[in-house]
Amino acid sequence: MEYKNYYKISVRELCHEVKKRNPEAIKEMAKYFIENVDYSNSILIPVPQHEGYAIYTKEIAVLIAKETGVEILDIIKSKPRKTLYEMKKNKENIILGFYTTSKYDLRGKNILLIDNVLATGKTIRECEKAVGYKMKPVVYGATEKRS
């Protein structure tokens, strides 16, 4: 899937607007996902931000759930930390420290992870480790493909 030009503004600008919690940008993102992702037999899990819990990814998930009926499990948390951008900029070892607040039997479910950018795959791998299941990223920006 190509992620560059499906929005009215560039992906980079839209990502920044979502991170600023601009309600219109969040609605635009949710609208795209509602129209382009199959939610049958799925569970939606929002990725926590650096504050330690899901904020804008959860807002996107809630809008998707209202339209599609997909279940949201907001079960991944972390301790507050620097942003990934800050850690990379300072050449620090990136430790996300994700953990789950509840255990669910997700066997047979299509687990969709709402995140902002797929670059290295580190976030999804850490989320998969915390939850114990493979997930499919539902991202609104990407710099490389993950197999």
Side-chain angles (χ1 to χ4, degrees):
M1 172 180 261
E2 180 63 38
Y3 292 96
K4 287 186 180 173
N5 297 313
Y6 52 69
Y7 304 113
K8 295 174 187 168
I9 60 176
S10 76
V11 170
R12 184 178 180 87
E13 291 170 310
L14 188 58
C15 287
H16 285 295
E17 290 301 309
V18 168
K19 285 182 178 185
K20 290 185 215 175
R21 301 182 184 116
N22 175 327
E24 292 306 312
I26 289 168
K27 285 179 193 171
E28 181 79 18
M29 199 66 70
K31 180 179 180 238
Y32 175 79
F33 290 144
I34 290 164
E35 294 171 353
N36 292 285
V37 176
D38 178 12
Y39 295 98
S40 54
N41 196 40
S42 294
I43 299 285
L44 204 53
I45 299 179
V47 171
Q49 280 73 67
H50 71 277
E51 293 90 346
Y53 53 94
I55 302 169
Y56 50 84
T57 53
K58 186 174 178 183
E59 291 177 35
I60 293 168
V62 166
L63 291 173
I64 293 169
K66 282 181 184 175
E67 289 294 317
T68 66
V70 68
E71 182 181 358
I72 300 170
L73 291 180
D74 184 18
I75 60 172
I76 302 175
K77 307 291 184 223
S78 71
K79 291 182 181 175
R81 58 173 166 72
K82 291 180 184 176
T83 66
L84 288 175
Y85 173 78
E86 291 170 320
M87 287 189 268
K88 288 176 187 176
K89 187 172 105 177
N90 296 329
K91 296 183 170 109
E92 296 175 32
N93 189 19
I94 297 174
I95 299 173
L96 301 175
F98 292 145
Y99 61 90
T100 56
T101 56
S102 301
K103 294 289 183 194
Y104 287 86
D105 183 2
L106 300 172
R107 285 177 290 190
K109 292 286 186 180
N110 186 27
I111 307 168
L112 304 174
L113 188 73
I114 294 281
D115 197 3
N116 57 354
V117 175
L118 179 63
T120 64
K122 182 162 182 68
T123 302
I124 191 167
R125 283 192 306 274
E126 293 297 318
C127 287
E128 287 173 339
K129 229 187 292 184
V131 174
Y133 290 91
K134 290 294 255 180
M135 301 177 179
K136 294 179 182 173
V138 177
V139 296
Y140 45 92
T143 58
E144 70 182 47
K145 292 180 182 178
R146 178 177 184 260
S147 53

